[in-house]
Amino acid sequence: MSMNKIFGAVALAVLAGLGGAALADGKDRAQRVFDRMDANGDGMISAAEATEARAARFSRMDANSDGAVTEAEMVAGHKKARAERVAKRLERLDANGNGTVERSEFDQQADRRFRRMDANGDGVLTLDEIKNGKERRGG
């Protein structure tokens, strides 16, 4: 893989991690990314804070600390991040804490989501309620 392709892939990964993923995952994710980047907590992200966040993200991807990110490092980093997200989701769904998600726990979470999306509380979802629910979640 050429250096231009590697640099482009790294740049895209950084942008996705700092902004694109925030948009894809909704406002909660965007707030977490913003808060992580706003190092001094002033409610704004300066160019210096953005640079610092970008450098930290690159360092996390550069597993062997050689100043370059290979495709293998990038793939491994994405797999690790996905595994961490899956573990957090499992933890949220696993109401009884036994390390598995039973059908009843899965159904309880789905029922909560349905009730949140049912804006007028009539027990049915309209297309607008579904669209609005997805917008609130960033989907």
Side-chain angles (χ1 to χ4, degrees), residues 90-108:
L90 177 72
E91 187 177 323
R92 281 193 311 271
L93 289 171
D94 182 16
N96 64 12
N98 70 350
T100 64
V101 178
E102 284 87 24
R103 177 63 187 260
S104 61
E105 292 168 319
F106 187 82
D107 288 344
Q108 287 172 356

Side-chain angles (χ1 to χ4, degrees), residues 78-98:
H78 284 286
K79 284 181 180 179
K80 180 181 176 187
R82 177 156 174 72
E84 289 168 357
R85 286 191 306 273
V86 168
K88 286 180 184 177
R89 180 157 171 78
L90 177 72
E91 187 177 323
R92 281 193 311 271
L93 289 171
D94 182 16
N96 64 12
N98 70 350

Side-chain angles (χ1 to χ4, degrees), residues 24-100:
D25 292 342
K27 292 180 184 176
D28 293 334
R29 170 82 171 134
Q31 186 66 56
R32 286 193 305 272
V33 170
F34 186 90
D35 291 345
R36 186 171 55 243
M37 291 180 69
D38 181 17
N40 64 7
D42 68 355
M44 297 179 282
I45 299 170
S46 68
E49 287 170 319
T51 298
E52 186 178 315
R54 184 175 59 244
R57 180 156 175 84
F58 188 90
S59 292
R60 284 191 305 273
M61 289 189 300
D62 185 12
N64 63 2
S65 301
D66 67 352
V69 176
T70 65
E71 181 179 1
E73 286 173 313
M74 192 174 288
V75 168
H78 284 286
K79 284 181 180 179
K80 180 181 176 187
R82 177 156 174 72
E84 289 168 357
R85 286 191 306 273
V86 168
K88 286 180 184 177
R89 180 157 171 78
L90 177 72
E91 187 177 323
R92 281 193 311 271
L93 289 171
D94 182 16
N96 64 12
N98 70 350
T100 64

Side-chain angles (χ1 to χ4, degrees), residues 117-133:
M117 291 176 69
D118 183 12
N120 63 4
D122 66 357
V124 295
L125 295 177
T126 65
L127 181 57
D128 284 340
E129 287 172 322
I130 293 169
K131 285 180 181 178
N132 290 335

